[in-house]
Amino acid sequence: MSLHAELHRHLGGSIVPRILWRFLMRKGHPLAEEYPDYQEFEAFFTRPRGSLAEYLELHTLVEHVQTLDALPYFVSKLIRGAYVFENLAYLEIRYTPYLRTDRALSESDRIAQMREVVQVIGKTARSAEYPIVTSQILCLHSRLSDRVNRAIVDLAGSEPEYVSGIDVAGGDTFYANRMDTLVELYKYALALGLKTTAHLYETQDGCYPQLLPYVCRIGHGIQIPLLHPELLPQLAARRQCLEVCPTTYIKTGTLQNIAQLRPVFERCFAAGVDIAICTDNAGLHDVRLPFEYENLLTHDVIDFAQLKSCQEAAFRHAFAWPHPMPPQAFLRSFSML
Ligand SMILES: [Zn+2]
């Protein structure tokens, strides 16, 4: 059995449609009334969107139901599915903690409540029944205030037991006016000892070279090999890894077919830039990590040797994997006995 590391998965997008639909039905949510038939709900939930912006609206929908009291339900189901169906040994869960706080509270009280969100998720993710090493990445958000984003970095730095890094999400077109602040917050996060990743170079509108020197990994980054391959030697020198999430680009309309990822992998391999294959939103897409691997193989984007090197890169670039080797290395050493 092969054990996998998943480096890019949003808490909001990780909930499989059936788990979400059952929850909405139980709560009498308006969406459940609109889609009383599960098949119709699944078709609505997983259909491709016209743009990244439209796709992100679905995240907002899920964020609204992932309140503090509902988080143990969603996180425990996420961990169970990841263990049973995906063979994950390691999982980084990312989300914006502010968007899981009580919307009726003031901004200050919501900031204070973020710590509880982190702790509830951290404790629930530690399952004796379904043991996976987990770590959290807290996402700054391109449409939240500077005060909230700074508080998210502070929180990340003060919860080392549960949090290993930060990210920025929420739509890359909104970064442009805030790039100076983002660079400053990333420098601050690094000074606190945090790891960093950012949704960058996902779409043609999301190319911000100013932030590149401050990220350990790049969320997506596919437009670097596609449009700006001249940057690849810099990435290799900084040992930065791309988190490539194949199904996302089809769902957001960024690419038309998976085969278009072939030059991404070819150019990165040639330049010595590591790629970790990830799901981004395994629930929203209804595509779990092993199927992302299989899709790339069946579309001849990569071969088995390249898949293995991406799987090992995922453990190498993990922010909190507690061992110098991936679990496969242990198994290999035992199988040779
Ligand atoms: Zn993402």
Side-chain angles (χ1 to χ4, degrees):
M1 182 175 72
S2 178
L3 295 170
H4 310 307
E6 160 75 300
L7 304 189
H8 189 137
R9 183 169 304 190
H10 294 265
L11 178 59
S14 66
I15 309 304
V16 294
R18 191 174 287 279
I19 296 280
L20 179 63
W21 182 74
R22 282 201 187 122
F23 179 85
L24 297 175
M25 289 297 278
R26 259 206 318 278
K27 297 284 175 187
H29 191 277
L31 210 57
E33 286 164 21
E34 197 178 331
Y35 295 101
D37 175 64
Y38 171 71
Q39 298 303 335
E40 283 177 25
F41 176 78
E42 186 184 293
F44 155 77
F45 196 65
T46 60
R47 71 160 193 252
R49 261 59 190 179
S51 66
L52 179 61
E54 201 189 319
Y55 172 81
L56 292 176
E57 284 171 20
L58 272 184
H59 278 267
T60 309
L61 187 157
V62 182
E63 279 158 10
H64 278 251
V65 298
Q66 287 185 333
T67 50
L68 198 49
D69 59 326
L71 281 171
Y73 172 82
F74 287 115
V75 173
S76 59
K77 300 291 182 286
L78 160 61
I79 297 296
R80 183 180 66 182
Y83 184 88
V84 174
F85 301 119
E86 299 182 81
N87 294 344
L88 292 195
Y90 179 82
L91 169 63
E92 289 177 7
I93 307 168
R94 62 180 74 192
Y95 63 97
T96 302
Y98 188 81
L99 299 177
R100 268 74 186 178
T101 56
D102 185 347
R103 277 152 218 276
L105 299 176
S106 68
E107 184 177 271
S108 295
D109 288 342
R110 290 183 73 177
I111 287 174
Q113 201 180 54
M114 294 196 301
R115 188 177 302 280
E116 213 179 323
V117 170
V118 166
Q119 292 175 350
V120 164
I121 292 172
K123 284 177 187 147
T124 311
R126 285 182 185 167
S127 161
E129 205 171 351
Y130 306 110
I132 297 176
V133 177
T134 59
S135 184
Q136 298 176 39
I137 297 175
L138 302 189
C139 300
L140 316 186
H141 199 286
S142 55
R143 279 177 283 178
L144 286 175
S145 71
D146 291 347
R147 180 182 177 225
V148 172
N149 282 334
R150 178 168 285 275
I152 291 173
V153 179
D154 280 327
L155 174 63
S158 66
E159 289 287 343
E161 192 181 343
Y162 298 125
V163 181
S164 54
I166 61 154
D167 174 30
V168 60
D172 49 19
T173 50
F174 298 99
Y175 299 175
N177 299 331
R178 313 185 60 182
M179 199 32 73
D180 290 348
T181 312
L182 281 175
V183 166
E184 196 233 318
L185 286 175
Y186 269 72
K187 284 184 185 170
Y188 178 48
L190 290 168
L192 291 175
L194 288 162
K195 305 284 189 184
T196 56
T197 180
H199 282 72
L200 285 177
Y201 290 86
E202 175 179 2
T203 68
Q204 297 190 12
D205 299 326
C207 303
Y208 297 99
Q210 311 91 304
L211 200 53
L212 283 179
Y214 307 103
V215 292
C216 307
R217 301 193 314 239
I218 300 163
H220 304 296
I222 60 166
Q223 303 298 343
I224 296 174
L226 289 176
L227 297 180
H228 303 281
E230 72 280 0
L231 295 174
L232 287 173
Q234 294 174 31
L235 268 57
R238 294 191 204 108
R239 297 178 177 278
Q240 289 166 314
C241 170
L242 300 193
E243 304 159 1
V244 171
C245 313
T247 302
T248 296
Y249 315 124
I250 310 302
K251 296 284 187 184
T252 56
T254 304
L255 299 179
Q256 282 66 52
N257 63 71
I258 288 223
Q260 288 172 286
L261 283 174
R262 211 169 288 141
V264 170
F265 283 86
E266 280 169 2
R267 288 171 193 172
C268 285
F269 285 132
V273 172
D274 284 341
I275 292 181
I277 299 160
C278 312
T279 62
D280 207 2
N281 298 293
L284 190 63
H285 302 159
D286 230 357
V287 180
R288 292 184 179 275
L289 189 58
F291 292 100
E292 295 285 2
Y293 297 153
E294 197 172 345
N295 281 340
L296 291 171
L297 290 167
T298 53
H299 288 87
D300 290 323
V301 175
I302 53 172
D303 60 25
F304 275 93
Q306 290 166 330
L307 173 63
K308 182 164 167 275
S309 89
C310 291
Q311 288 170 325
E312 291 182 351
F315 280 99
R316 218 168 33 247
H317 291 274
F319 288 165
W321 176 246
H323 198 275
M325 283 193 289
Q328 276 82 344
F330 301 119
L331 296 174
R332 213 174 290 135
S333 62
F334 281 111
S335 72
M336 301 296 281
L337 290 175

